[in-house]
Amino acid sequence: MRILVALGGNALLRRGEPMTAEAQRANVRVAAAALAAIQPGNELVITHGNGPQVGLLALQGSAYKPDELYPLDVLGAETEGMIGYMIEQELGNLLPFEVPFATVLTMVEVDPADPAFKDPSKFIGPIYPAGEVARLRAAHGWVLKQDGDKWRRVVASPAPKRIFELRPIRWLLERGTVVIAAGGGGIPTVYDPGRRLRGIEAVVDKDFCSELLARELHADLFIMATDAAAVFADWGTPQARAMRRAGPAAIAAYGFPAGSMGPKVEAACRFATATGKRAVIGALADLPALLRGEAGTTITAAVSGIAWAEGAG
Amino acid sequence: MRILVALGGNALLRRGEPMTAEAQRANVRVAAAALAAIQPGNELVITHGNGPQVGLLALQGSAYKPDELYPLDVLGAETEGMIGYMIEQELGNLLPFEVPFATVLTMVEVDPADPAFKDPSKFIGPIYPAGEVARLRAAHGWVLKQDGDKWRRVVASPAPKRIFELRPIRWLLERGTVVIAAGGGGIPTVYDPGRRLRGIEAVVDKDFCSELLARELHADLFIMATDAAAVFADWGTPQARAMRRAGPAAIAAYGFPAGSMGPKVEAACRFATATGKRAVIGALADLPALLRGEAGTTITAAVSGIAWAEGAG
């Protein structure tokens, strides 16, 4: 079975943890143990978030020389290297030596006319005091928005249109290679009017990018591994209930938070509808059970309503 | 023909240039134009240096939080992402859309008992005043040596033993993919006593790593593209003469600087002797002529002495 597992950003660096290489590696080791359990007998492609890491690198650049920040495409490429390396090494330590691995840098085309560029919404990088906002806007042309009592930079989160390295990724999977790709939603690029590809200041949603990759690779199963045990209705209320299986139309009728479960449910619905295959959202630690459909929430066009989990979900 | 082109560090960021993303990209564009001229009809794998970039990232980390520096394996992985991305994008802009590309993160095994660990010799990262040396030694366990009137960190430069991603790189080349790999000599790793692979504070010589990759890929031609037009005897004297073709034993009888031409000549001799194929050292701008053996210095076991270039070389 060809499986794409998307590792949520929190699977790699938990909120409030120090952003050291060692803290990241400790989390990668936990993810690797879960991934190792499902690799045998399957073709496995792994994607991952990079939010905290891009924030870290942006902060480092800022400390180094405030007016020469590296652009987001370059920072994205750096984090694909850093995180891909850690996943490849730690997962490699748990699987037989013979299993081939490749971390493939991934560029993603977005549309420069995507409406997301008119309404940047994705917070990135460090927080700034209100007094800094005017200077940062002038110096970098940034858009800054309020996040609590501080300010942060926001960038567009356009839809992914094309994954350039699709064929190499597919060829490697066909040879049994564990492939790590499309980290952080891929490196955001656009064609300029002269048909020259270049990077752009944006962050492609990693769930939508993972879905596009899963769909174009004809994956049999698309798993989004996160820190939630399942998709819940009425989350945060006494009526909270976990969904075990859901049809795309039925689950889409519920509302989910834009910053977390919303894009995951939307990506899962898109995959299930377009392919007729299963998408699963659930906890990283439950990966083998997610694969079997015995934990998390399975979204599939094969059911029309919602089947609720027994007990607490 | 299967060709490995190793881009020297100076091909990507020239000494004294500001270490901005734009300066790097401008140099990558020049390299891409040269590479684009030799890609059609050939299988092409590209390696590159990362010295200035690792120095930059180390400096950024240091500015961010002096006592939480990222280790060299992680910084190496970041630079493979950053530089690989720029090469892939700029070369992609010059070749037909149908040509597939993949930048493959590359881990290299070294021997923890390599004598290089007893005598670290590779300068890395920023310069420090003499007054900082004792503190840095105590805080990080670093070895620092004098470089002019300042001090710099030195690390071991052990020999590369194994390239882990060799099979994926080969599979991609067989499908006509332009592969970018083994940047900066590869990410340095060792097996610990429990046979767990981990990163190590070292920098693998990029010429030796490129040679190992070229040899194991059964490359027909190994080109080291640098800023010198050829290998010269008596360089820096009025008797300086450029070599056009040289046998491994004949060229090895000359002495070359350890930090620049020395390892290139040694890597070329090793490749030519082990494979019977050609290794070429010359200027990036001459890449098509290097391929034809009409510029630079060709090292081949097919000749025994040295044939000198006409005129100034």
Side-chain angles (χ1 to χ4, degrees):
Chain A
M1 195 157 64
R2 181 171 290 179
I3 307 171
L4 187 146
V5 178
L7 299 174
N10 291 344
L12 300 175
L13 193 60
R14 282 171 239 287
R15 224 172 271 272
E17 270 185 337
M19 288 189 285
T20 61
E22 257 325 297
Q24 289 188 63
R25 192 176 279 278
N27 288 323
V28 168
R29 258 181 220 142
V30 172
L35 291 162
I38 65 160
Q39 190 275 336
N42 293 308
E43 289 179 5
L44 181 60
V45 54
I46 301 160
T47 68
H48 59 82
N50 73 344
Q53 290 82 3
V54 160
L56 169 71
L57 294 182
L59 194 60
Q60 288 181 344
S62 170
Y64 163 64
K65 208 165 180 185
D67 293 326
E68 270 180 24
L69 300 184
Y70 267 45
L72 286 174
D73 59 331
V74 175
L75 296 180
E78 290 183 39
T79 64
E80 286 194 349
M82 172 168 71
I83 302 169
Y85 161 59
M86 290 188 185
I87 295 173
E88 179 174 335
Q89 189 176 70
E90 294 297 341
L91 184 52
N93 278 329
L94 300 175
L95 293 174
F97 181 78
E98 293 68 35
V99 176
F101 277 83
T103 301
V104 178
L105 219 67
T106 312
M107 299 193 296
V108 172
E109 183 187 359
V110 304
D111 184 347
D114 191 301
F117 287 105
K118 292 216 170 60
D119 180 26
S121 61
K122 172 96 183 155
F123 284 109
I124 60 154
I127 54 171
Y128 299 98
E132 281 283 282
V133 169
R135 189 190 67 78
L136 291 164
R137 280 180 178 148
H140 304 299
W142 288 356
V143 180
L144 292 104
K145 288 186 179 169
Q146 214 158 351
D147 185 19
D149 62 341
K150 300 283 186 175
W151 291 73
R152 285 180 81 192
R153 184 179 174 199
V154 286
V155 296
S157 187
K161 281 178 62 183
R162 166 156 51 189
I163 292 167
F164 288 95
E165 294 82 359
L166 188 67
R167 288 172 299 162
I169 293 169
R170 187 187 297 136
W171 294 330
L172 292 172
L173 287 173
E174 287 168 356
R175 302 297 294 248
T177 310
V178 175
V179 178
I180 300 146
I187 304 167
T189 63
V190 293
Y191 278 109
D192 66 20
R195 289 297 290 168
R196 202 181 127 264
L197 192 68
R198 62 174 177 84
I200 191 163
E201 292 292 283
V203 171
V204 179
D205 184 277
K206 71 180 189 315
D207 297 316
F208 295 148
C209 182
S210 296
E211 190 276 328
L212 177 62
L213 183 59
R215 179 156 36 92
E216 300 222 319
L217 288 173
H218 307 295
D220 301 294
L221 181 59
F222 171 32
I223 300 179
M224 282 171 274
T226 177
D227 46 6
V231 182
F232 285 78
D234 304 315
W235 177 247
T237 76
Q239 291 78 43
R241 287 182 302 166
M243 304 176 178
R244 177 66 68 237
R245 288 161 66 83
I251 196 170
Y254 289 80
F256 301 101
S260 55
M261 203 51 95
K264 288 191 201 318
V265 169
E266 192 176 337
C269 290
R270 202 179 290 179
F271 180 80
T273 304
T275 67
K277 306 281 177 62
R278 290 186 295 142
V280 184
I281 299 169
L284 177 63
D286 293 335
L287 212 39
L290 298 182
L291 187 149
R292 297 190 302 268
E294 294 168 4
T297 300
T298 294
I299 291 107
T300 165
V303 305
S304 58
I306 289 178
W308 303 96
E310 301 291 320
Chain B
M1 198 159 60
R2 182 171 291 178
I3 306 171
L4 186 146
V5 177
L7 300 174
N10 291 345
L12 301 174
L13 195 58
R14 281 171 241 285
R15 223 171 272 273
E17 271 185 339
M19 290 190 284
T20 62
E22 257 325 299
Q24 288 187 65
R25 192 176 281 277
N27 288 323
V28 167
R29 257 181 221 141
V30 173
L35 290 162
I38 65 160
Q39 191 275 335
N42 293 308
E43 289 179 5
L44 181 60
V45 54
I46 301 160
T47 68
H48 59 83
N50 74 343
Q53 291 81 5
V54 160
L56 170 72
L57 294 181
L59 193 61
Q60 288 182 344
S62 170
Y64 164 63
K65 211 168 180 185
D67 293 327
E68 271 181 24
L69 300 185
Y70 268 44
L72 286 174
D73 58 330
V74 174
L75 296 180
E78 290 182 39
T79 62
E80 286 195 349
M82 171 169 68
I83 301 169
Y85 160 58
M86 289 187 185
I87 295 173
E88 178 172 336
Q89 189 176 70
E90 295 297 340
L91 184 52
N93 278 330
L94 299 176
L95 292 175
F97 182 78
E98 294 67 37
V99 175
F101 277 83
T103 301
V104 178
L105 218 67
T106 311
M107 300 193 295
V108 172
E109 183 188 359
V110 304
D111 184 348
D114 191 301
F117 287 106
K118 293 216 167 63
D119 180 26
S121 61
K122 173 97 181 154
F123 285 108
I124 60 155
I127 54 170
Y128 299 98
E132 281 282 282
V133 169
R135 189 190 69 77
L136 291 164
R137 282 182 176 147
H140 303 301
W142 287 356
V143 180
L144 292 105
K145 290 185 178 168
Q146 216 158 350
D147 187 17
D149 62 339
K150 300 283 188 175
W151 291 72
R152 284 180 82 193
R153 184 178 175 200
V154 286
V155 296
S157 186
K161 281 179 60 182
R162 168 157 49 192
I163 291 166
F164 288 96
E165 294 82 359
L166 187 67
R167 287 172 299 165
I169 293 169
R170 189 186 297 137
W171 295 330
L172 292 171
L173 287 174
E174 286 168 357
R175 304 297 293 249
T177 311
V178 174
V179 179
I180 299 146
I187 304 167
T189 64
V190 294
Y191 278 110
D192 66 18
R195 289 298 290 169
R196 204 181 125 264
L197 192 68
R198 62 176 176 82
I200 190 162
E201 292 292 279
V203 171
V204 179
D205 183 276
K206 70 180 188 318
D207 296 315
F208 295 148
C209 182
S210 296
E211 190 277 328
L212 178 63
L213 183 59
R215 180 157 34 95
E216 300 223 320
L217 288 173
H218 306 295
D220 301 295
L221 180 60
F222 170 34
I223 301 179
M224 283 171 275
T226 177
D227 45 8
V231 181
F232 285 78
D234 305 315
W235 178 247
T237 75
Q239 290 78 42
R241 288 182 301 167
M243 303 175 180
R244 177 65 69 235
R245 289 161 65 83
I251 196 170
Y254 288 80
F256 301 102
S260 56
M261 203 50 95
K264 288 193 203 317
V265 170
E266 191 177 336
C269 289
R270 203 180 288 179
F271 180 80
T273 304
T275 67
K277 306 281 177 61
R278 289 185 297 142
V280 184
I281 300 169
L284 178 62
D286 293 335
L287 213 38
L290 298 182
L291 188 149
R292 296 190 304 267
E294 295 167 6
T297 300
T298 295
I299 291 109
T300 166
V303 304
S304 57
I306 291 179
W308 304 96
E310 301 292 317

